[in-house]
Amino acid sequence: MKQLLRVVLAVMMLSMGLNVMAQAEDPTPVPEPPQLLAWVAAGTAPGAQSPDNPGEIVLMDADGNMEAILNVPTQAMMQRVVACGESADGRTFAFYIGNENQGTITLLDEDNTLITLANDVSAMSCVGMGTLQFSADGSRVGYLDFSDNFTEAVSPRGRLVLADATNGEVLDRYENVAAFNLSSGLLTTVNFYDDNDGKAVEIAINADDGQQTSEVATLFADTDNDCFYNSASISPRLSNQIAVVLGYRCTRGDVRDTQWQFHLVDTDARSATLVQSGTTIGRFFPFTRTNTLVMAPDGATVFFTVPDGLYNNSVSLKAMDLASSTVRDVVPQYVAMPSVSILPYDARAHAPLLSPDGRWLAVVTSDPNSNADLNVIDLNAPNLPPINISAGSSGDTVVEMGFSGDGSALYFIAGGTEGGDNVLFQLELASGNAMRLNRGHYGHGVLDAESGTMALIDWRAFADDEAPQLTLVEMNLADNSQSTMYESGTIVEGKLTDASFIYPLAWR
């Protein structure tokens, strides 16, 4: 019996040892805590840096330790370091360094390796809402390289460059592209072709079927009445259909105003049908993204924007029901769109934001009396009114927005700007209820949806007659706790000395 007990104990100990060895050989992976990609430079705020000392791009950990990964190049009129976008899988992030007319687009991959995507391109290549896009699987990236005089062009277009997102190598180039879509992985483009006056009088709509890119429809302007195309946006190819919204202008004839035109392309029949059109109150300007379309996830509705005439970057948001060919206003006017001349850290209203699952679209409106509202639209329920929340008093706005990873909530900051009082809210999208999380003096920030962590600029007043001190706080959205990650300079006898700023770009 004793001998049997010894054998049993020996077997148990051997089994335990094997389990320990197996765990040591195949441990459960522990995810690395995210690092913050940021721009750091001497100065009181983003945009206040010296062209001779524009700072560095750094990676910062939760304890505030920084690793410089790129020196911001010294150049005349260096104005901006801004985010361009991120692949859907989060592996690759793109950002722009330069001024309005000339700069560099850089990719940062999942190993934090820097890849130069483009040199000497205008900031319009990175203004948002479609000028730079990743393919659905994140393997390719495309951007529009606009000409030097694109702000003066009557029919603006650029060179579309497709590149390998893993190494930046150019895969293909397409000339005369006014708009493109790469979001589904299959490329669609609108190409402009000019008369002798530089006006686009012929349009080619091209589509990739997975094998090759072909011209599936051609449109011609009414040249007898001096008509031409001056703006475009295009949807991905869904089954055999593509939606295209065009700006169209005539200087003679019955219609002498700017029109919007909604065309539906049948790629099998290789034809385009003008479904609806209307007159815009304002014009399509080449330096703004006032012509943008978003397809609902269920494919039943296309949401698109047209100028409303208030500002050169404000629009009406409309919805086209593809089954009935009817169009309706979703947000009638005052929606703020991105512009090459409006930097994110100077913007009076946040640019539109699409949820990761593509279901929700958040837009900010700002009327002539500076009253701002947040509007959140369920793209799969276009007949429901948007969730509407006031930003506060006249002059207040929505400073920052970010969707949760599962798309169930929108975090946004509403209230004062430039150190004014404001509030971080959590909006539950299913119910439409907004809850206050924290009060502060917040500015620009970035959300890590996976960990529920937000890095936010927080302006702190230290003297009545002095500008506030810039700090960066890390916000835990689960328990609303926050800690300071960075402080600008040192306060000596009521004065801020050795001022520096940090501008968060993304969590990596």
Side-chain angles (χ1 to χ4, degrees):
M1 185 67 180
K2 291 182 178 179
Q3 184 65 26
L4 178 61
L5 182 59
R6 291 192 186 98
V7 172
V8 172
L9 290 171
V11 171
M12 292 176 62
M13 293 178 67
L14 177 61
S15 177
M16 292 173 62
L18 290 173
N19 286 338
V20 170
M21 291 176 62
Q23 292 175 10
E25 293 174 359
D26 186 23
T28 302
V30 178
E32 291 287 333
Q35 292 180 293
L36 185 69
L37 182 72
W39 171 31
V40 177
T44 55
Q49 75 285 347
S50 165
D52 298 327
N53 186 22
E56 299 172 319
I57 305 300
V58 304
L59 285 168
M60 174 190 284
D61 64 22
D63 296 324
N65 301 311
M66 294 185 193
E67 174 192 0
I69 60 173
L70 180 66
N71 291 322
V72 176
T74 301
Q75 61 186 46
M77 300 297 291
M78 207 299 293
Q79 297 172 330
R80 66 192 71 198
V81 177
V82 293
C84 299
E86 188 175 51
S87 59
D89 56 15
R91 289 183 301 173
T92 310
F93 176 77
F95 60 96
Y96 178 92
I97 299 176
N99 56 45
E100 190 170 304
N101 299 311
Q102 187 179 49
T104 300
I105 301 175
T106 303
L107 303 179
L108 186 69
D109 68 13
E110 57 187 336
D111 298 320
N112 290 331
T113 300
L114 294 167
I115 302 164
T116 300
L117 179 65
N119 287 306
D120 299 327
V121 294
S122 77
M124 195 65 189
S125 300
C126 183
V127 79
M129 304 305 294
T131 56
L132 182 145
Q133 300 174 36
F134 288 91
S135 60
D137 61 2
S139 64
R140 294 182 296 163
V141 60
Y143 65 91
L144 281 174
D145 182 1
F146 292 90
S147 62
D148 292 337
N149 63 344
F150 76 93
T151 58
E152 302 172 5
V154 293
S155 299
R157 88 296 308 272
R159 176 187 296 109
L160 170 61
V161 181
L162 289 187
D164 188 324
T166 64
N167 54 29
E169 291 184 3
V170 174
L171 301 174
D172 217 334
R173 292 182 175 90
Y174 304 84
E175 300 295 329
N176 301 309
V177 177
F180 76 102
N181 196 295
L182 192 61
S183 60
S184 69
L186 298 176
L187 176 67
T188 57
T189 67
V190 178
N191 295 59
F192 280 180
Y193 298 98
D194 292 346
D195 61 10
N196 293 330
D197 296 324
K199 298 174 181 177
V201 294
E202 182 179 344
I203 280 183
I205 299 169
N206 301 289
D208 181 1
D209 63 2
Q211 302 296 323
Q212 63 179 359
T213 301
S214 304
E215 186 169 328
V216 293
T218 310
L219 300 174
F220 299 92
D222 178 6
T223 54
D224 290 340
N225 287 312
D226 195 20
C227 301
F228 60 93
Y229 299 98
N230 61 359
S231 182
S233 59
I234 188 168
S235 77
R237 174 177 178 164
L238 295 178
S239 183
N240 67 330
Q241 286 191 326
I242 301 169
V244 178
V245 176
L246 300 173
Y248 188 70
R249 184 168 178 80
C250 302
T251 59
R252 293 196 298 267
D254 295 334
V255 179
R256 299 190 184 188
D257 297 316
T258 298
Q259 290 185 325
W260 60 265
Q261 296 182 346
F262 189 102
H263 295 263
L264 204 56
V265 178
D266 185 322
T267 58
D268 293 340
R270 303 177 77 87
S271 64
T273 301
L274 177 59
V275 178
Q276 288 279 6
S277 65
T279 302
T280 69
I281 300 175
R283 295 188 181 185
F284 292 99
F285 290 94
F287 48 85
T288 66
R289 294 298 295 165
T290 50
N291 188 344
T292 300
L293 67 78
V294 178
M295 183 76 74
D298 61 11
T301 310
V302 177
F303 295 79
F304 63 100
T305 61
V306 298
D308 68 357
L310 177 62
Y311 307 113
N312 59 28
N313 71 316
S314 63
V315 298
S316 163
L317 176 65
K318 301 178 183 293
M320 172 69 72
D321 185 297
L322 295 181
S324 64
S325 298
T326 57
V327 63
R328 58 180 291 270
D329 286 333
V330 180
V331 182
Q333 52 193 357
Y334 310 145
V335 176
M337 301 297 286
S339 167
V340 74
S341 59
I342 301 175
L343 293 167
Y345 36 83
D346 293 332
R348 292 295 307 167
H350 199 283
L353 185 67
L354 190 65
S355 64
D357 60 3
R359 177 179 171 181
W360 299 91
L361 178 65
V363 301
V364 180
T365 56
S366 183
D367 71 13
N369 296 317
S370 298
N371 296 307
D373 289 84
L374 171 66
N375 303 267
V376 186
I377 299 100
D378 184 346
L379 301 184
N380 280 342
N383 294 321
L384 289 179
I387 301 170
N388 179 270
I389 299 172
S390 170
S393 304
S394 176
D396 291 344
T397 190
V398 176
V399 178
E400 190 54 81
M401 300 191 292
F403 283 97
S404 62
D406 61 2
S408 65
L410 175 71
Y411 298 94
F412 69 96
I413 296 166
T417 62
E418 299 175 349
D421 294 329
N422 51 32
V423 178
L424 171 63
F425 289 90
Q426 176 181 319
L427 172 63
E428 294 295 336
L429 298 172
S431 66
N433 294 326
M435 176 176 63
R436 288 178 174 82
L437 298 183
N438 268 307
R439 293 183 181 272
H441 308 276
Y442 300 121
H444 179 79
V446 289
L447 170 64
D448 178 43
E450 184 176 347
S451 67
T453 304
M454 207 167 187
L456 282 172
I457 289 175
D458 190 13
W459 298 95
R460 296 180 181 172
F462 62 90
D464 291 340
D465 58 346
E466 294 290 326
Q469 179 189 27
L470 182 149
T471 66
L472 187 76
V473 297
E474 182 181 72
M475 186 84 66
N476 185 328
L477 298 175
D479 60 11
N480 301 337
S481 62
Q482 70 177 39
S483 58
T484 300
M485 300 177 68
Y486 183 91
E487 289 184 344
S488 170
T490 306
I491 299 171
V492 178
E493 296 181 352
K495 300 287 183 180
L496 182 64
T497 62
D498 299 324
S500 61
F501 66 82
I502 187 167
Y503 177 67
L505 294 167
W507 286 102
R508 303 298 300 159

